[in-house]
Amino acid sequence: MSARVLVVDDVLPNVKLLEAKLKSEYYEVTTAQSGIEALENVKKRIPDIILLDVMMPDMDGFETCRRLKSDPETADIPVVMVTALTDVGDRVQGLNFGADDFLTKPINDLALFARIRSLVRLKGMTDELKLRGKTGLQFGISDEINSRINDTRGAKILIVDEDVAESQQIGNKLREIGMHVDVTPDPPKAVGMSEQFDYDLIIVSTQLSSDDGLHLCTHFRSQERTRNTPLLIIIDDNNTELLVKGLDMGINDYLITPIDSNEVVARTKIQVRRKRYQDALRSSHEKSMYMAVMDGLTNLYNRQYFDMHIEMMLRSHISQAKPLSFMLIDVDHFKKINDTYGHLCGDEVLRRIPMIMIRNIRPTDFAARYGGEEIAVVMPNTTLSQAADVAERIRKSIEGYPFNLAGEGGAIKCTVSIGVSSSTQNDNTSQLISRADKALYHVKNTGRNRVAAFSDSGTKVSSDKR
Ligand SMILES: [Mg+2]
């Protein structure tokens, strides 16, 4: 995997050393020797990750990081703080300024590359989601994200740890900042809990007597419900090998024992924010997908989606020699309803008809808003006379439904006319629709509030039930 890395350090030999290491692993490297230079560099070309020295004259790493993270253009670039200091307080400060991780000099190569891979992979995912959001309808994405990510209260955390003192220390610290914490020492129990609740973060100790904890992490990664749940492992200081294994299999972060409470809080907050950010992106994507195929008024599929879908359904039915039926429902005298009671009442009628209809069709039937006051229903594996019976039930229940429209004093009557057709061996969608359309016109011209079903030869199969 190739990625662009920006190395920032005020000491030239440090820059050169990191540059050489990264280039040997085929990373593309750019460098900067001050915070200001780094910010300028980033504006020119966005890197995939930034390795940022803490101790620099003029603008230090913390301030540089703060500026990067507060600019929407650069906020998503993962930042790894690099320092000679091993002071935990410094680490926490970096994380509070929005840094994604911390490395201490001299840098351990394995940890460095594993960390970069893991962060670059995560950024790739976020970029992809953002792109999908953009190609969608851009429905309130930024507002939603902003409001969701910054508040980490109420987050649900699961801790899997046999060390009672350690899990209590973490649990209490997280509860203090308003998070819900579940604790279990038992991996099978943890699996059960993860199937029952949606956690925002799962913390797994790698010092379990039964396991190294990573098997449990692999399990969480493989399950639908926890596939995107951030995983944080608790690991012994010198167990680099296990850490690299963990990062490669997709854990998001780690804590080194003995644990510092402030670091727990900082890292947990970062993971929860990231999860909420991704959830928000994902749901806004789903929302734009939903809006692209649904009709907002009736909550039925829209015409565009209907056109695509009926084509596919018809083809598969013909190939399996199964009958596909189609009905076109038109609200009688809809213009009069609009003129008499107003357009809001007309809308209300259109909103309610699908709700009445839905009780008379099967879940596998496919309903869409076909035109202004026309609704189309496609019925898989249904013969013409069966479809005509369904149509008649729909007609009857709408006729008997009291449309109590708000503010209009009492119920109004509303009826529908329905034309039905069914597929034949050499059919195509326009012929199928056109036969239903003809049947519908026949009803419209002969008194409305009726059902007509036309076979392919133009014969009426059933109609005129009242
Ligand atoms: Mg320095």
Side-chain angles (χ1 to χ4, degrees), residues 225-285:
R225 191 151 187 172
T226 46
R227 198 195 303 164
N228 296 308
T229 309
L231 298 173
L232 188 153
I233 57 172
I234 300 171
I235 196 159
D236 193 52
D237 195 6
N238 47 35
N239 204 341
T240 313
E241 224 178 289
L242 193 65
L243 173 60
V244 170
K245 239 169 92 182
L247 289 166
D248 277 341
M249 58 137 289
I251 65 145
N252 302 79
D253 207 351
Y254 55 92
L255 285 166
I256 286 170
T257 53
I259 284 166
D260 175 83
S261 299
N262 293 318
E263 192 177 351
V264 169
V265 168
R267 289 189 186 274
T268 300
K269 273 186 172 174
I270 286 174
Q271 291 306 323
V272 169
R273 276 196 200 123
R274 188 181 284 161
K275 162 106 180 337
R276 294 191 167 177
Y277 178 66
Q278 284 171 353
D279 285 351
L281 282 171
R282 210 170 276 124
S283 76
S284 65
H285 165 61

Side-chain angles (χ1 to χ4, degrees), residues 8-11 14 53-57 82 105:
V8 190
D9 198 307
D10 59 318
V11 179
N14 288 345
D53 182 31
V54 171
M55 301 286 275
M56 293 187 294
V82 183
K105 295 176 193 172

Side-chain angles (χ1 to χ4, degrees), residues 384 421-425 427 431 435 454-459 461:
L384 186 62
S421 65
S422 193
S423 67
T424 60
Q425 224 12 257
D427 225 348
Q431 286 166 3
R435 286 198 299 280
F454 278 15
S455 75
D456 57 322
S457 57
T459 343
V461 172

Side-chain angles (χ1 to χ4, degrees), residues 133-327:
K134 266 183 199 153
T135 46
L137 295 180
Q138 284 206 313
F139 189 84
I141 287 171
S142 48
D143 285 355
E144 208 177 308
I145 288 167
N146 286 341
S147 64
R148 275 208 221 174
I149 57 167
N150 288 319
D151 190 3
T152 56
R153 281 171 307 176
K156 260 185 101 59
I157 317 292
L158 174 63
I159 303 173
V160 191
D161 193 352
E162 281 175 9
D163 185 333
V164 178
E166 190 176 73
S167 59
Q168 253 175 15
Q169 181 199 353
I170 301 175
N172 290 342
K173 201 72 198 173
L174 296 180
R175 285 187 194 105
E176 268 173 36
I177 55 165
M179 295 184 175
H180 299 290
V181 184
D182 291 336
V183 181
T184 177
D186 183 34
K189 252 193 200 143
V191 168
M193 290 159 92
S194 75
E195 285 162 359
Q196 216 180 331
F197 306 107
D198 286 318
Y199 288 104
D200 294 299
L201 172 69
I202 302 177
I203 301 176
V204 179
S205 167
T206 54
Q207 289 141 341
L208 301 168
S209 51
S210 59
D211 194 26
D212 63 8
L214 289 191
H215 284 113
L216 189 58
C217 293
T218 314
H219 174 82
F220 289 139
R221 274 290 165 269
S222 68
Q223 298 301 300
E224 183 64 34
R225 191 151 187 172
T226 46
R227 198 195 303 164
N228 296 308
T229 309
L231 298 173
L232 188 153
I233 57 172
I234 300 171
I235 196 159
D236 193 52
D237 195 6
N238 47 35
N239 204 341
T240 313
E241 224 178 289
L242 193 65
L243 173 60
V244 170
K245 239 169 92 182
L247 289 166
D248 277 341
M249 58 137 289
I251 65 145
N252 302 79
D253 207 351
Y254 55 92
L255 285 166
I256 286 170
T257 53
I259 284 166
D260 175 83
S261 299
N262 293 318
E263 192 177 351
V264 169
V265 168
R267 289 189 186 274
T268 300
K269 273 186 172 174
I270 286 174
Q271 291 306 323
V272 169
R273 276 196 200 123
R274 188 181 284 161
K275 162 106 180 337
R276 294 191 167 177
Y277 178 66
Q278 284 171 353
D279 285 351
L281 282 171
R282 210 170 276 124
S283 76
S284 65
H285 165 61
E286 275 156 20
K287 199 184 279 171
S288 18
M289 278 296 291
Y290 181 81
M291 289 178 66
V293 301
M294 301 306 277
D295 173 61
L297 180 64
T298 59
N299 250 326
L300 298 173
Y301 288 98
N302 64 22
R303 175 64 186 269
Q304 214 176 348
Y305 189 72
F306 165 84
D307 287 341
M308 263 165 42
H309 201 68
I310 191 173
E311 190 73 48
M312 276 169 20
M313 286 174 93
L314 182 63
R315 242 181 287 142
S316 91
H317 274 72
I318 289 177
S319 73
Q320 296 172 63
K322 286 179 179 165
L324 180 79
S325 286
F326 175 70
M327 68 171 94

Side-chain angles (χ1 to χ4, degrees), residues 330-333 391-392 394-400 413-418 440 442-452 463-466:
D330 188 271
V331 182
D332 294 330
H333 302 296
E392 175 57 22
I394 291 175
R395 185 201 64 74
K396 232 184 196 160
S397 52
I398 291 173
E399 184 185 33
K413 271 227 152 205
C414 182
T415 60
V416 294
S417 299
I418 307 179
L440 177 62
H442 172 78
V443 176
K444 288 277 177 194
N445 293 326
T446 54
R448 298 185 169 87
N449 191 20
R450 266 184 269 171
V451 172
S463 70
D464 297 14
K465 286 182 193 164
R466 270 221 173 177

